[in-house]
Amino acid sequence: MSIQEQVKSALSGNAFDEASLEKFIESGLPTKKNELWKYTNIEKYWPEFDLASQAPTELSSVDKDPNFSHIFFVNGQFQANESDIAVEVLNESNRDRFLGAKSQLKELLADEPVFNLVESQAKNQYLLELNGVADKPVIIHNVYSSKVAKHSSAHLNVIANANSETTIIESHTSDDDAQSFINNATSFYLKGNAQATLIKMQTLGAQTVQVQNIRALVSRDANFESFTIDIGAKLSRNNISIRLDGEGANCCAHGLYTLQNDQQSDTNSFIHHNRPHTESSQLYKGIMNDKSHGIFTGLIRVEKDAQLINSDQLNKNLLLSKGAHAHSRPQLEIYADDVKCAHGSTTGQMSDDQVFYFEARGVSREKAQKLLAQAFAYDVILKIKNKTARIYAQNILEQNFIALKSE
Amino acid sequence: MSILKVENLKASVEGNEILKGINLEVKPGEIHAIMGPNGSGKSTLSKVIAGHPDYEVTDGSIELNINGKMQDIAELEAYERARDGVFLGFQYPIEVPGVTNIGFMRESFNALCEHQGADLMDEEEFRTFVKTKLPTLSMSEEFLDRAVNEGFSGGEKKKNEILQMLIMNPRLALLDETDSGLDIDALKIVANGVNSMKSKFNSFILVTHYQRLLDYIQPDFVHVLYKGKIIKSGGKELALELEKRGYDWLIEESK
Ligand SMILES: Nc1ncnc2c1ncn2[C@@H]1O[C@H](COP(=O)(O)OP(=O)(O)OP(=O)(O)O)[C@@H](O)[C@H]1O
Ligand SMILES: [Mg+2]
């Protein structure tokens, strides 16, 4: 059966959103002909579509750091018993609270086939409401356990109510031999003056494929910050779409990918300045070793009536071996005239002079390279404002930091 | 016994021979000055002794006193030589954004401690230790928390090299033009740093263009390097003569 036929026979008649299913059946998975998927062949990794296989297994160990509130998902399914915060199942009765309120959110990633696939599946659609100023950051533990190639999909819809302030870490982990094909989405609707930070901390096993769809509709004076930190997985893909939809709405979308062997990480971000007086800032850094491949495509669009815009975007790549490569595609579509946009990208090797400076001070070459790569990456982590979350991200990075080989 | 013994050293970079047979012996407690026109190979000599990977030793030997035994170090990596007591003060100190100065120095200090089987220092202990060295160099603590050499003035970079030297307390310090670009006050401070470390157990090789450094640091020997060879060696009076007469007479003489 073709992929479309597999999906159709599994979901037809009980789709979460019939229109999305129809779109997916029409388009199928994106191919290289789709400009936004030019460097990533997702079809290659697709296992037979079989929803029954998405059953969660027991959580093996639950380690709850008291500095955080915890939420657990296993293979996309919410685990109420272990979680500190209640996540609702999104259904007919509460659906309008989120989606109905702002139909505009429906426009974000509407033409992205993998997101349409997430929206097609009735299973694992959740709703989380944020109120007030959170006293500690939330960790959403996403654990994947499938030993054979299986699909896992979940969509978390988050309403950040007016004046709320929350930092959410989405951790994604799987065993080394787990072969899940993960296609998730996290959607935010930030109401007036809400502050929300999402940090995706991905340290999946080397056999896992992950697509993460991040959408945010940012209202007046609200601020959304997203960090996608990809360390593990065979292939990771981020689709990020943020719309600044009220005056004074700001966003940051930062990312870090540290890759080795034949890992690939592909980020496609779209920042849409839809109103005047909005600001966005992006820093994406990639460290590629061995034969790995990092891709960044970032579109910034400023609408005609959106004057007084500030926007910056920077992609910096560090190649640690001759076989590694990076692609960087900054794109601007500006229809207004009072706009400050700075964007750029650089790709380079580690400076031999810097390495020698360390060596001349007694530090081994290997250690020097590791410290320099860490310093390069650390820039992104420093942008995490919440201190607890920043230290957490820093520790994960240090623990997982690629064992650099010199060439 | 000597600290360093260089014999008939020839070295090249990218196929070009730069050092063409250098002989140099340095004993404990000695200060040697190396002078010579631009491009004569002074920096190359210091880098080759320190183990820069771009330079290939094609002939001769470099022996270092390691634990009382003269050992050929030509095959050792730069970091191994550093751990065995060789310090290179850079003519152009390198900027390392994203790494704090104190973090950088602690890495190198602990690398030495580990090599010597001594206890490593934690952040707090190390800061306390480094702070004791700051007054000698008239440096403020603020320099410790800035990125290595980033945004430092020329003079501040050179002082920072000397600070690193004092912390690593090497047996052989090769200082490549540490005096260049310094005003007289900074020069005195740098010389003060060197003199505070000088003892009968360690030695210095100072690469310099200017006799004025030697007013503050008394050299035992002065060597003139020209086209990859030492064409003249003498005492400190040689530096004074060079100051007056330049290099041409020596170059003539050596032909
Ligand atoms: N990496 C290199 N590739 C090619 N030639 C080099 C390289 N490094 C040094 N050289 C050459 O070797 C010669 C000696 O250079 P070196 O830097 O050792 O001179 P120096 O005596 O320190 O000069 P200065 O007084 O200007 O510092 C010069 O002719 C220089 O151009
Ligand atoms: Mg030089």
Side-chain angles (χ1 to χ4, degrees):
Chain A
M1 270 204 285
S2 75
I3 289 172
Q4 281 104 312
E5 284 164 354
Q6 292 169 31
V7 170
K8 191 175 176 181
S9 78
L11 301 180
S12 204
N14 59 357
F16 178 72
D17 182 76
E18 286 293 341
S20 298
L21 177 61
E22 268 165 43
K23 273 189 178 170
F24 182 81
I25 290 168
E26 173 81 25
S27 67
L29 279 181
T31 64
K32 296 195 172 207
K33 283 190 203 125
N34 180 336
E35 262 303 301
L36 298 175
W37 287 83
K38 190 172 167 188
Y39 299 104
T40 298
N41 178 355
I42 188 84
E43 211 177 305
K44 191 162 84 180
Y45 302 103
W46 177 270
E48 181 81 18
F49 198 70
D50 172 14
L51 283 182
S53 71
Q54 285 194 14
T57 49
E58 292 280 300
L59 267 177
S60 48
S61 67
V62 183
D63 185 12
K64 289 195 192 180
D65 181 338
N67 294 311
F68 298 89
S69 308
H70 298 267
I71 295 176
F72 289 86
F73 285 86
V74 177
N75 291 345
Q77 207 168 96
F78 176 57
Q79 309 293 301
N81 287 344
E82 285 80 11
S83 299
D84 304 336
I85 294 175
V87 170
E88 297 170 62
V89 170
L90 189 67
N91 53 33
E92 292 303 325
S93 61
N94 61 15
R95 193 170 174 170
D96 282 354
R97 225 166 64 211
F98 184 65
L99 295 171
K102 273 276 185 181
S103 60
Q104 274 207 53
L105 192 60
K106 283 188 177 154
E107 294 168 19
L108 307 190
L109 294 180
D111 294 322
E112 175 51 67
V114 291
F115 178 69
N116 286 328
L117 183 59
V118 175
E119 280 290 77
S120 305
Q121 303 180 53
K123 211 171 170 176
N124 299 343
Q125 298 280 349
Y126 297 103
L127 179 64
L128 173 65
E129 250 189 282
L130 306 174
N131 295 301
V133 178
D135 58 342
K136 32 189 181 178
V138 179
I139 300 191
I140 303 179
H141 302 266
N142 293 278
V143 183
Y144 306 92
S145 63
S146 176
K147 294 263 183 282
V148 280
K150 290 285 158 62
H151 287 267
S152 174
S153 179
H155 188 177
L156 181 64
N157 296 277
V158 182
I159 303 179
N161 279 320
N163 305 314
S164 66
E165 256 183 73
T166 317
T167 296
I168 296 176
I169 296 170
E170 248 187 28
S171 114
H172 295 267
T173 55
S174 66
D175 297 333
D176 285 342
D177 55 354
Q179 293 195 19
S180 307
F181 181 102
I182 305 162
N183 183 17
N184 277 359
T186 308
S187 300
F188 279 84
Y189 170 33
L190 285 88
K191 296 191 182 175
N193 206 42
Q195 319 277 321
T197 299
L198 175 71
I199 303 160
K200 180 191 108 171
M201 206 69 221
Q202 184 269 108
T203 55
L204 291 162
Q207 302 303 316
T208 305
V209 171
Q210 190 205 34
V211 181
Q212 179 72 15
N213 300 282
I214 296 173
R215 308 185 305 158
L217 185 66
V218 189
S219 311
R220 192 183 175 102
D221 297 322
N223 181 34
F224 178 67
E225 309 206 346
S226 100
F227 294 80
T228 47
I229 297 166
D230 288 294
I231 296 171
K234 177 159 56 181
L235 169 69
S236 56
R237 162 80 183 203
N238 299 301
N239 294 315
I240 300 164
S241 181
I242 302 171
R243 184 177 294 185
L244 300 174
D245 209 38
E247 293 193 15
N250 298 331
C251 76
C252 298
H254 303 306
L256 173 67
Y257 33 101
T258 67
L259 311 173
Q260 59 184 336
N261 301 322
D262 56 356
Q263 277 183 292
Q264 180 163 335
S265 179
D266 183 351
T267 293
N268 171 39
S269 88
F270 173 38
I271 310 257
H272 190 176
H273 290 265
N274 204 30
R275 289 280 186 279
H277 289 288
T278 51
E279 288 186 11
S280 67
S281 175
Q282 292 180 276
L283 175 64
Y284 282 86
K285 285 195 155 187
I287 302 177
M288 272 70 72
N289 204 357
D290 305 317
K291 290 189 164 64
S292 60
H293 187 186
I295 302 130
F296 173 74
T297 306
L299 171 64
I300 296 166
R301 181 185 295 157
V302 180
E303 292 298 342
K304 188 158 157 283
D305 300 326
Q307 303 293 355
L308 298 158
I309 301 300
N310 253 317
S311 163
D312 62 73
Q313 180 191 72
L314 184 61
N315 176 220
K316 286 178 109 173
N317 293 297
L318 180 60
L319 301 180
L320 298 178
S321 90
K322 289 191 189 77
H325 44 297
H327 282 95
S328 187
R329 296 189 295 174
Q331 297 162 344
L332 292 176
E333 278 180 25
I334 298 178
Y335 303 105
D337 34 57
D338 195 353
V339 169
K340 268 196 217 127
C341 263
H343 68 135
S345 83
T346 60
T347 295
Q349 275 109 37
M350 190 165 279
S351 149
D352 289 340
D353 287 342
Q354 289 179 349
V355 174
F356 179 66
Y357 199 38
F358 274 94
E359 285 191 90
R361 300 292 177 260
V363 179
S364 74
R365 186 171 306 162
E366 214 170 291
K367 184 83 185 280
Q369 288 173 332
K370 193 170 164 168
L371 291 169
L372 286 166
Q374 262 176 7
F376 179 85
Y378 198 51
D379 247 15
V380 175
I381 304 295
L382 278 180
K383 292 187 181 285
I384 299 175
K385 292 192 186 116
N386 181 284
K387 192 176 170 198
T388 313
R390 187 170 64 243
I391 291 170
Y392 173 90
Q394 192 185 334
N395 287 341
I396 299 259
L397 189 65
E398 261 162 38
Q399 282 160 26
N400 290 277
F401 217 83
I402 40 182
L404 297 161
K405 298 163 222 160
S406 53
E407 235 186 43
Chain B
M1 181 143 14
S2 41
I3 280 197
L4 177 76
K5 197 168 181 190
V6 173
E7 277 181 321
N8 188 35
L9 178 65
K10 294 183 182 170
S12 48
V13 58
E14 287 160 11
N16 306 311
E17 184 166 87
I18 314 279
L19 301 182
K20 299 176 176 162
I22 303 263
N23 293 292
L24 181 66
E25 186 170 1
V26 179
K27 294 213 161 77
E30 288 178 355
I31 295 182
H32 290 241
I34 295 187
M35 304 183 80
N38 292 121
S40 56
K42 303 180 299 294
S43 293
T44 303
L45 177 62
S46 348
K47 285 189 215 165
V48 169
I49 295 171
H52 195 293
D54 286 355
Y55 298 84
E56 194 195 349
V57 173
T58 54
D59 202 1
S61 63
I62 310 168
E63 290 186 352
L64 182 73
N65 184 329
I66 302 174
N67 300 328
K69 260 194 258 152
M70 294 309 285
Q71 295 183 32
D72 195 329
I73 57 166
E75 294 300 315
L76 296 184
E77 298 284 351
Y79 65 87
E80 296 172 300
R81 301 183 200 197
R83 292 173 189 183
D84 283 325
V86 177
F87 178 88
L88 174 64
F90 283 53
Q91 181 172 2
Y92 304 108
I94 311 293
E95 298 187 3
V96 194
V99 176
T100 62
N101 211 13
I102 190 155
F104 179 71
M105 288 190 280
R106 193 163 77 95
E107 283 297 338
S108 67
F109 184 81
N110 279 341
L112 256 65
C113 289
E114 203 176 344
H115 181 69
Q116 291 161 0
D119 286 345
L120 305 190
M121 271 198 201
D122 67 25
E123 276 175 50
E124 213 174 305
E125 288 169 324
F126 186 69
R127 186 177 286 271
T128 310
F129 165 61
V130 175
K131 274 162 78 174
T132 64
K133 308 284 181 190
L134 294 174
T136 320
L137 296 167
S138 309
M139 282 175 88
S140 67
E141 196 182 340
E142 172 235 354
F143 282 99
L144 301 180
D145 296 300
R146 284 168 62 178
V148 180
N149 292 325
E150 198 182 34
F152 286 28
S153 72
E156 287 164 353
K157 283 182 181 169
K158 296 294 174 78
K159 280 197 211 171
N160 201 33
E161 292 292 286
I162 299 300
L163 176 63
Q164 291 170 34
M165 180 187 78
L166 294 183
I167 283 160
M168 295 180 72
N169 192 23
R171 265 182 319 133
L172 175 67
L174 307 151
L175 302 181
D176 191 358
E177 296 201 26
T178 303
D179 56 325
S180 293
L182 296 184
D183 59 30
I184 193 73
D185 290 334
L187 181 75
K188 283 183 195 164
I189 290 167
V190 162
N192 195 16
V194 170
N195 289 326
S196 76
M197 195 187 93
K198 179 179 156 33
S199 80
K200 62 180 181 194
F201 304 109
N202 55 31
S203 326
F204 293 83
I205 297 177
L206 310 173
V207 172
T208 180
H209 284 288
Y210 309 104
Q211 138 71 23
R212 84 182 170 155
L213 173 70
L214 307 177
D215 290 341
Y216 300 97
I217 307 174
Q218 298 284 319
D220 301 290
F221 299 93
V222 175
H223 310 278
V224 177
L225 197 60
Y226 178 67
K227 289 196 173 164
K229 280 188 169 162
I230 291 177
I231 56 167
K232 179 94 180 170
S233 295
K236 62 174 183 257
E237 65 289 346
L238 178 58
L240 287 166
E241 197 170 356
L242 290 170
E243 183 95 334
K244 278 194 220 109
R245 298 175 65 191
Y247 293 109
D248 288 350
W249 64 280
L250 264 182
I251 293 166
E252 262 328 291
E253 212 171 70
S254 73
K255 275 182 183 161

